[in-house]
Amino acid sequence: MLLFTPGPTPVLENVRAAMAKETIHHRTPEFTEIFKSTRELLFNLLKTDEVLMFASTGTGAMEACVTNLCHKKALTINAGKFGERFSKICSAFNIPFKELTYEWDTPADVGEVVEAVKNDSSIDALFVQICESSGGLRHPIEDIAREVKAIRPEIMIVADGITAVGVEPIDVTNIDALITGSQKALMLPPGLSIVGLSSRAIEKIGKGKGFYFNMASELKKQREGTTAYTAATTLIIGLKEMLNNIFELGLDTLYDLTDRRATATRVALEAIGLKIYPKKPANAMTAVIDEDAEKIRKILKSKYEVNIAGGQEHLKGKLFRINHMGIIKAYEAAWVVNAIELAMSELGRIEYTGKANKIFNELYFGE
Ligand SMILES: *Cc1c(COP(=O)(O)O)cnc(C)c1O
């Protein structure tokens, strides 16, 4: 079965093999060496001043950013379940927040964000997804970050890049925290989260907040090549292997191939009459809005051995999402669009001509 959900993504064979080796103790020179070189590789990927790893899913890193980087009031951007999650974290910790809401297909409006910041001097941190995975949407994070910093540079810009890191180049000039997780573009099992931090963020963290997700205590340990609590040794070993895969391929090549797959998929699916859901699609995934979404997903799974994701909440049964994150074979991605065309013809909507596959390959392998 081809796993084409936008997280978890498949784990490559050499990464699985690396993680299958005998467990080692985390307080050893052997593991410290692995930890340090993984940190170095993460610096190359994130291009931030500092980096932290947590044994948690991505949500843990989101929580750590809220508790450590927002001391007064948060501004959250909710265009889907993950944006909403930042607001829920604020609520859980009794942190005041102002939330800007958008339809799941609509990117945040930079002017509205600017207004919100100008009208409320207590806002000291902004939380936004780069790609909101609920609808496969790309927010204008670069513009938001630049405009907000121009008003009050001390406002922390926290970017949830869980479905953007490893997908596209991210300009971190105006970003103070860049979050990612293991099970998306980093093609690892779930359970490890990563945050890149600016030096401004380090300053603000001070002594840190909370206990397990206290960024100050983690930072102290991780700079020494260890973690405050037991490290997720197996996942970190896997991460090092995967980052080596990525740098062997080359970051620019990875971004280019991901862009080609995303573009080729979108054009191929539009050519067979399907509608791309978000007004501004991210390259992490293709989200299609369709009344037959569930039927198409079922046919794909049962007949063509392809597993794609559906929609959540009000889009349940109306959306399907195809992953583009990671190092993925073109022939697998081509098979996915071909299988969708086959499914559409089976539902009596179109006549199968192989058009989706043809367009995908022409675009992917073209100029
Ligand atoms: C997957 C995802 C998360 C984190 O989810 P976890 O299940 O906690 O790993 C957060 N934000 C976005 C945009 C995501 O796609």
Side-chain angles (χ1 to χ4, degrees):
M1 181 80 73
L2 292 181
L3 182 59
F4 262 82
T5 56
T9 52
V11 182
L12 297 177
E13 190 173 350
N14 69 321
V15 178
R16 278 182 277 138
M19 293 191 299
K21 296 216 179 98
E22 226 171 71
T23 303
I24 58 171
H25 195 276
H26 60 291
R27 308 283 186 211
T28 53
E30 193 188 352
F31 184 70
T32 291
E33 199 177 311
I34 293 169
F35 190 84
K36 282 182 171 166
S37 43
T38 309
R39 247 172 83 80
E40 285 312 310
L41 291 164
L42 282 174
F43 279 116
N44 294 339
L45 176 71
L46 300 173
K47 305 194 181 344
T48 48
D49 301 326
E50 254 306 339
V51 64
L52 277 178
M53 288 174 252
F54 287 108
S56 76
T57 69
T59 305
M62 292 168 76
E63 177 174 323
C65 287
V66 171
T67 54
N68 286 269
L69 294 174
C70 181
H71 296 171
K72 287 191 213 141
K73 184 173 179 178
L75 177 61
T76 61
I77 290 167
N78 173 356
K81 288 199 74 70
F82 296 105
E84 180 192 38
R85 189 166 298 175
F86 275 128
S87 303
K88 285 185 167 175
I89 296 169
C90 291
S91 293
F93 287 94
N94 290 317
I95 294 169
F97 65 95
K98 155 107 183 134
E99 182 183 73
L100 297 175
T101 53
Y102 297 92
E103 277 304 311
W104 288 17
D105 64 347
T106 308
D109 182 274
V110 183
E112 277 176 17
V113 176
V114 165
E115 273 311 292
V117 169
K118 278 186 176 160
N119 291 338
D120 192 341
S121 61
S122 59
I123 288 169
D124 70 331
L126 170 103
F127 298 88
V128 62
Q129 276 56 45
I130 298 179
C131 164
E132 169 54 79
S133 312
S134 303
L137 171 79
R138 177 67 160 76
H139 279 303
I141 174 91
E142 296 82 357
D143 297 342
I144 290 174
R146 192 188 54 247
E147 296 289 321
V148 170
K149 284 287 185 192
I151 304 166
R152 287 206 299 281
E154 67 275 17
I155 294 180
M156 291 285 114
I157 308 289
V158 178
D160 170 358
I162 296 181
T163 46
V165 171
V167 172
E168 51 169 318
I170 298 162
D171 178 8
V172 292
T173 313
N174 294 309
I175 290 176
D176 295 295
L178 177 61
I179 304 170
T180 195
S182 54
Q183 80 274 25
K184 309 278 169 88
L186 295 175
M187 303 184 92
L188 290 164
L192 192 72
S193 67
I194 296 149
V195 191
L197 294 164
S198 71
S199 40
R200 293 171 302 238
I202 308 285
E203 235 169 83
K204 181 152 186 186
I205 290 164
K207 292 195 169 99
K209 290 270 170 69
F211 187 78
Y212 184 73
F213 287 115
N214 185 307
M215 284 180 160
S217 45
E218 276 301 336
L219 205 58
K220 183 173 177 293
K221 289 290 180 186
Q222 298 199 13
R223 279 171 168 164
E224 293 164 7
T226 186
T227 47
Y229 314 106
T230 309
T233 47
T234 308
L235 286 169
I236 292 170
I237 288 166
L239 176 59
K240 184 184 163 200
E241 192 75 14
M242 183 59 198
L243 291 171
N244 280 330
N245 286 343
I246 287 177
F247 289 111
E248 244 163 64
L249 176 69
L251 267 187
D252 291 341
T253 307
L254 175 65
Y255 299 148
D256 177 56
L257 294 180
T258 306
D259 182 56
R260 280 169 184 267
R261 272 197 315 281
T263 306
T265 300
R266 281 196 289 267
V267 177
L269 294 184
E270 281 178 320
I272 55 169
L274 288 167
K275 187 176 177 336
I276 305 300
Y277 176 65
K279 288 175 188 154
K280 179 85 179 63
N283 273 351
M285 68 197 72
T286 292
V288 170
I289 184 129
D290 196 277
E291 283 306 320
D292 290 328
E294 271 327 279
K295 287 183 192 153
I296 292 170
R297 281 183 66 214
K298 248 186 214 140
I299 296 172
L300 253 58
K301 215 170 189 172
S302 59
K303 203 163 170 189
Y304 301 112
E305 296 188 68
V306 174
N307 186 3
I308 58 174
Q312 296 159 299
E313 287 190 4
H314 64 287
L315 294 178
K316 202 169 162 56
K318 294 184 183 138
L319 197 78
F320 64 80
R321 293 174 299 152
I322 304 162
N323 174 55
H324 304 307
M325 294 176 281
I327 299 174
I328 294 169
K329 297 286 182 204
Y331 57 77
E332 291 184 350
W335 174 250
V336 176
V337 295
N338 182 57
I340 292 169
E341 186 179 350
L342 283 164
M344 296 261 292
S345 102
E346 224 160 293
L347 291 170
R349 287 175 47 174
I350 53 168
E351 187 197 335
Y352 178 77
T353 61
K355 188 174 169 185
N357 177 62
K358 181 173 186 286
I359 291 174
F360 181 95
N361 283 292
E362 281 172 357
L363 285 177
Y364 184 86
F365 293 105
E367 282 305 291

